[in-house]
Amino acid sequence: MATWSNFNLQNSASPLMEQIIFFHDHTLVILIMITILVSYLMLNLFTYNYINRFLLEGQMIELIWTIIPTITLIFIALPSLRLLYLLDELNNPLITLKSIGHQWYWSYEYSDFNNIEFDSYMINYEKENMSNFRLLDVDNRIILPMNNQIRILITATDVIHSWTIPSLGIKIDANPGRLNQGNLFINRPGIFFGQCSEICGANHSFMPIVIGSINLKNFINWINNYS
């Protein structure tokens, strides 16, 4: 998770987030190269005074400064389109999790199992102990198996919310009257934190999301104990 001294992206816990980080680094390198080139040209304007009153046009230089940006945009667009299609791809999910946004808490339903649904409220700061994360921990965590494809369905009952887990590279709007779909693939065990990322009212900052990732055997035991 992100801490007060971390200015980078969170460490990835899914293949999708790894691809997002790779694309971020790829784009950042191109932007740095463009910034250096433009800065160099601007500094040259202060030190040189080229004047040619007979110069009317320069077709070659115009051709160059048209083709180079086009090639640069292609190098950005192709990985971006590939990533967009990867984010929407969903093949043979093991389980389906339904998340419903309310003012101001989340409720969850495990659609493949009977009678497994619960509300998830942020733990009151006065009731927290030193092992909890302030404003991030909840009373009922989502438990999901790692190394398995998981489908998540998102909706809301009142206003627009946004279900977001940065380390998993997922951010899906929860719209009233509409069911949005996403996919999760968690590749390591752990606890992953997120928050509502759409301003939804007075307590918008107080509806966190917590996912606990465990192996499949422990997940089956959790399902049996919960039932």
Side-chain angles (χ1 to χ4, degrees), residues 149-204:
Q149 195 77 33
I150 300 161
R151 176 173 60 181
I152 178 161
L153 303 175
I154 311 288
T155 188
T157 59
D158 34 49
V159 298
I160 299 176
H161 302 275
S162 185
W163 199 84
T164 306
I165 304 288
S167 59
L168 300 179
I170 186 168
K171 181 178 185 292
I172 304 174
D173 286 341
N175 299 310
R178 175 171 177 169
L179 206 59
N180 290 330
Q181 177 179 277
N183 70 91
L184 291 172
F185 188 95
I186 309 172
N187 57 15
R188 60 185 172 90
I191 299 174
F192 308 105
F193 296 89
Q195 290 176 300
C196 176
S197 298
E198 185 74 35
I199 297 176
C200 57
N203 291 333
H204 156 69

